[in-house]
Amino acid sequence: MKSRFLSLAVDLYGCPNRCLHCWLGHMPNLPMEPEADAWIVERFQPYFDRIAFYSWLREPDFCPDYRARWERDKALSVNAVPERFELASFWHLVRDPDYVRFLKELNVKCVQLSFFGLEQTTDRYVGRRGAFRELLRATEILLENGICPRWQGFLNEENRLELVELLHLSRELELSRRCQEIGGTFRFFVHEGSCDGENRKLYPIRITRDHIPETLLPFYLDADRLQTEAELCEKWKDDPSHISFPQGEELVLYVSNRYELFFNYTHMRPEWAVGNLKTEPVEELLRRIEQQDTPALRTAREISLGELVRRWGDPDSERVFDEGDYRIYLLNRQLENQT
Ligand code: SF4
C-alpha cells in the first residue's frame, strides 16, 4: 500500500449546481469542521508516501478564498502537487473578476463547460435559472483572458436537436477562430454520459443509436466505442465472468462531507461506501480497500455478468452505452433491488 500514490478528494464546499446528469448523485452542501482537511490527511499519512490533496470533488474552487485554498491543498499534499484537470468554477468566473486572473496565474490553458441544450433546457438541467447565460458569459471571460473554452454537451432524446443548435451557436460565436487567435483550439463534443447517480433517472430518455443527429456524429466522443443495450445483452447473456475493478498504482478516494469514504467510480451511495473515517479505524478501511470488501463489490463478485444481463438488461433496447458504463448500470440495478 505504501508505495501507491493516493489522491484524496474531499467534499469540503459542495457545489452550487444540481445537474440532472450528476453521476455522483445529489448531496447536500454541508460544512465540515475547520481542521477536517489536515485531520483527514493525517489519517492516511502513515500508510502512503505520496498524497495529493483536493478540497473538492464537485465544483472546483467553490469556496470564498480559492487562492488560500489552493495554497493549502498544495501544503497538505505529501510529495505531490494536486492537478487542475482543465476544470474551473463557472460560478466564480461570472461573479468574481479576480477568479480568471487566478486561473491565468496557474497557467490554465483550457476550461471545460457543460451544456444540456439551449437556455431553458440547460437552466433546468443545471438546476438554476441563469446557468446557460453564465456559461456563455464564462466563455467570453475565458477568451478575453487568453483561455480556451471547451464545450461538452450531454446528449439524450430530449435535447438532441438543441445540441445541434448549440453547435451552430458555437459557430456563430466563432469560437474556433477566436481560440486560434489566442494560440489554442476550440473543442466541441457530445456524449451520452454514464448511467448512474442522477443520470440513472434519465435512462428512459437515453439516446438511441439512430437518433444521434448526423450533424453531431463528427463531434461524438469516441463514437466507435458505443454499443446498443441490445448488442451488449446479446454479447454477455452467457458470460460467466464477474465485473471487476482492478486497482492500479494510483488510488483515488472520495471523502463525503460526513467523512464517508468511497472509491472514485459511480455514485456515492451507501452500498458503495468503504466506511466512515470518523467512526471506524483507518486500518480497517484500508483493509476493505485492499480486499475490495464493500457491499457493492461483494455483489459484483457474487453475480456473474451473464446473470446481471439476464436479470436487468433489455434485449430490445437501442439505447447506447459504452461497455464500462453498462456494466456499472447493471450492477447498480442489482444493488437497487437488494436495498
Ligand atoms: S455534475 Fe458537477 S457541477 Fe453538476 S451537480 Fe454534479 S458535481 Fe455539481
Side-chain angles (χ1 to χ4, degrees), residues 8-114:
L8 274 177
V10 184
D11 192 23
L12 268 172
Y13 305 100
C15 179
N17 309 319
R18 289 292 176 271
C19 302
L20 295 187
H21 80 298
C22 184
W23 64 280
L24 292 166
H26 290 169
M27 294 173 282
N29 295 349
L30 298 173
M32 297 184 79
E33 290 144 301
E35 291 299 319
D37 50 3
W39 184 86
I40 290 169
V41 174
E42 277 164 24
R43 303 275 81 66
F44 289 96
Q45 205 161 348
Y47 306 97
F48 293 87
D49 290 333
R50 291 189 304 144
I51 301 175
F53 180 84
Y54 298 85
S55 53
W56 60 277
L57 59 82
R58 294 193 272 163
E59 177 99 335
D61 306 321
F62 183 56
C63 57
D65 191 348
Y66 41 81
R67 284 175 190 278
R69 186 65 255 178
W70 172 243
E71 292 306 318
R72 185 153 171 86
D73 281 14
K74 286 192 292 181
L76 285 168
S77 296
V78 181
N79 300 319
V81 181
E83 291 182 53
R84 296 292 310 179
F85 306 112
E86 300 187 339
L87 298 174
S89 168
F90 76 94
W91 170 274
H92 273 310
L93 264 174
V94 299
R95 286 172 176 76
D96 175 357
D98 192 42
Y99 182 58
V100 73
R101 290 196 281 274
F102 167 68
L103 297 179
K104 289 286 285 179
E105 284 160 26
L106 296 180
N107 208 21
V108 170
K109 301 277 187 230
C110 174
V111 167
Q112 180 164 289
L113 301 169
S114 300

Side-chain angles (χ1 to χ4, degrees), residues 144-333:
E144 284 159 16
N145 288 277
I147 300 174
C148 287
R150 179 171 63 223
W151 283 12
Q152 90 167 319
F154 285 86
L155 178 68
N156 61 36
E157 291 288 336
E158 179 184 43
N159 67 6
R160 61 197 198 96
L161 300 180
E162 284 192 40
L163 286 188
V164 174
E165 292 302 310
L166 188 73
L167 173 63
H168 292 154
L169 177 62
S170 75
R171 288 174 175 154
E172 276 165 36
L173 295 173
E174 299 187 86
L175 298 182
S176 293
R177 177 187 62 74
R178 293 165 73 195
C179 282
Q180 267 174 18
E181 278 174 9
I182 58 172
T185 308
F186 173 66
R187 190 154 168 245
F188 175 97
F189 70 100
V190 298
H191 61 108
E192 73 290 355
S194 61
C195 198
D196 41 10
E198 297 306 308
N199 221 13
R200 159 77 180 89
K201 298 172 189 160
L202 302 181
Y203 172 85
I205 55 166
R206 197 169 178 82
I207 193 77
T208 57
R209 181 179 274 157
D210 56 352
H211 282 177
I212 298 173
E214 225 174 295
T215 327
L216 293 180
L217 279 175
F219 302 95
Y220 207 104
L221 183 70
D222 302 330
D224 348 339
R225 85 199 138 80
L226 290 183
Q227 299 180 63
T228 66
E229 185 169 12
E231 288 165 348
L232 289 166
C233 287
E234 179 57 29
K235 184 164 154 183
W236 291 340
K237 67 180 197 285
D238 299 315
D239 193 323
S241 71
H242 292 253
I243 300 174
S244 62
F245 297 84
Q247 300 198 37
E249 268 311 289
E250 183 174 358
L251 175 64
V252 183
L253 295 176
Y254 288 172
V255 184
S256 79
N257 52 30
R258 298 299 90 180
Y259 298 89
E260 294 143 325
L261 201 61
F262 293 85
F263 291 103
N264 64 330
Y265 32 77
T266 197
H267 46 222
M268 294 169 70
R269 300 253 170 88
E271 60 273 20
W272 286 95
V274 173
N276 191 297
L277 264 177
K278 269 280 175 182
T279 56
E280 297 178 280
V282 74
E283 294 78 11
E284 168 59 12
L285 300 176
L286 291 173
R287 181 200 66 75
R288 290 180 203 159
I289 289 168
E290 190 98 319
Q291 299 176 3
Q292 301 202 334
D293 187 9
T294 70
L297 296 176
R298 282 197 297 273
T299 298
R301 286 193 293 275
E302 282 159 12
I303 305 181
S304 73
L305 188 53
E307 184 58 31
L308 288 172
V309 159
R310 291 193 293 277
R311 285 186 194 178
W312 309 114
D314 177 354
D316 299 320
S317 158
E318 291 298 304
R319 296 173 180 88
V320 293
F321 285 88
D322 92 6
E323 289 197 356
D325 288 342
Y326 192 57
R327 282 194 191 96
I328 294 262
Y329 163 77
L330 291 171
L331 182 53
N332 278 322
R333 288 290 310 268

Side-chain angles (χ1 to χ4, degrees), residues 130-142:
F132 181 78
R133 285 177 187 269
E134 286 181 17
L135 288 162
L136 295 189
R137 183 73 199 115
T139 298
E140 294 299 326
I141 292 169
L142 290 169

